Amino acid sequence: MPKRVALIAMVVPLLWASAGYSEGADGDAKGPRRIDKMDFGKTADGTPVELYVLKNGKMTAKVITYGAIITELHVPDAKGKTTDVVLGFDHLEGYLAGHPYFGAAVGRVANRVAKGKFTLDGKEYSLAVNNGANSLHGGLKGFDKVVWKAEEVANPAGPSLKLTYVSKDGEEGYPGNLTATVTYTVTEDDALRIDYSATTDKATPINLTNHSYFNLGGPASGNILGHELFLTADKYTPADANLIPTGEIKPVQGTPFDFTSSTPIGARFSQLKDDPIGYDLNYVLPAGGKEPTLAARVHDPESGRILEVLTTEPGIQFYTGNFLDGTLKGKGGVVYKKHQAFCLEAQHFPDSINQPNFPSTVLKPGETYTQTTVYRFLAR
Ligand code: BGC
């Protein structure tokens, strides 16, 4: 028996039994199989990494404990043909070698903190700087590069995996011991729901997001410039050349950033000034509240797949893979080139901790941070 098959054969019945599922006399499962678990290798310091498979309805999500990364997301097209629609690697080595946050949970603070500095309760903090003079996506070793603890949780909505990480006081320069959780649930209606929570013992900024790179035709299908994007946001936060917000909030109307009616992503590239060309900006969402509300809808006319993003967050970073340069070879040997995928990262605005006009990202002891984002798939 091949090693991996043998391992699955050993682990699945154990996991299944622990989740309280039983088999009928005819051998059929009485309850649906919910989560499978596999070995996914070890980090450089020997920490084991696990892969979990969550299935429901027609959708399958694979998640690893390294970086709480979504490695695969299989969803049907208009004819019912299922394809993996996210960028990533077949093996842990690809993730360990370095990559631009494919599928990862990003924190303690997603996006940029100007000069890696901020003042909180009268004290100045200096963060690990990893993006020119700025700190990006949590610093040198953010939440995308640590091993999370996984546990299956009972959830009537579908198979649900909770990942927990305790970030120590001072880690990457951030104050306070912070316990963060990310729960992935695959629901019956072909949606991946992501619930985040965090508590701290000292005031700290926090901004968690997921950094999946989507290509609704599958990463081998080419670029995403023909995908049509609709955004509910009618405002954005202008930024300087290093993508640090100026602090203004401006209307998108009359700019190439206006996606309030569905438009092919590449249609107005000639009007953009960025180098490399493409979108990389934060939009201000109209809603933001307790229940996730529609922020974005992307339609791939080729496959018919549609992705809807719903969130409780006040902002969303739209990024078109401008820095993918053909040097990374991903799943199935596919080379990842510029604009081969897009990201829609639901979040608080970049550099919020230094921007008094922006919604606060400060979490205090006794409070609980929460955020929910849903990636829902349809096809027509
Ligand atoms: C940022 C980009 C960055 C990318 C990968 C995105 O969230 O907005 O500027 O290149 O992440 O690191």
Side-chain angles (χ1 to χ4, degrees), residues 100-101 111-112 131 136-137 211 213 243 280-281 317 319 323 345:
Y101 307 89
N111 219 308
R112 289 166 176 86
N131 186 247
L136 174 68
H137 295 331
H211 210 302
Y213 285 67
L243 300 176
D280 193 356
L281 76 157
Q317 182 88 9
Y319 170 59
F323 295 105
E345 305 150 56

Side-chain angles (χ1 to χ4, degrees), residues 107-155:
R108 184 179 299 197
V109 172
N111 219 308
R112 289 166 176 86
V113 176
K115 307 248 171 357
K117 291 209 185 304
F118 63 90
T119 302
L120 190 55
D121 294 339
K123 195 168 167 210
E124 191 177 310
Y125 292 92
S126 291
L127 303 175
V129 157
N130 60 334
N131 186 247
N134 305 316
S135 182
L136 174 68
H137 295 331
L140 293 165
K141 191 176 179 188
F143 289 6
D144 60 296
K145 295 182 190 69
V146 299
V147 178
W148 297 62
K149 195 170 106 346
E151 63 186 295
E152 186 175 351
V153 288
N155 186 339

Side-chain angles (χ1 to χ4, degrees), residues 44-66:
D45 70 3
T47 310
V49 174
E50 296 143 4
L51 167 83
Y52 288 84
V53 184
L54 288 75
K55 279 188 196 167
N56 210 7
K58 300 177 285 317
M59 180 174 167
T60 302
K62 297 189 185 176
V63 172
I64 56 171
T65 50
Y66 179 75

Side-chain angles (χ1 to χ4, degrees), residues 9-29:
M10 261 163 48
V11 168
V12 167
L14 274 177
L15 206 90
W16 209 349
S18 70
Y21 294 100
S22 58
E23 296 225 344
D26 57 2
D28 290 330

Side-chain angles (χ1 to χ4, degrees), residues 66-70 101-107 137 142-145 148 182 184 196 208-211:
Y66 179 75
I69 291 172
I70 300 164
Y101 307 89
F102 290 152
V106 178
H137 295 331
F143 289 6
D144 60 296
K145 295 182 190 69
W148 297 62
V182 180
Y184 294 112
Y196 304 81
L208 303 181
T209 193
N210 177 268
H211 210 302

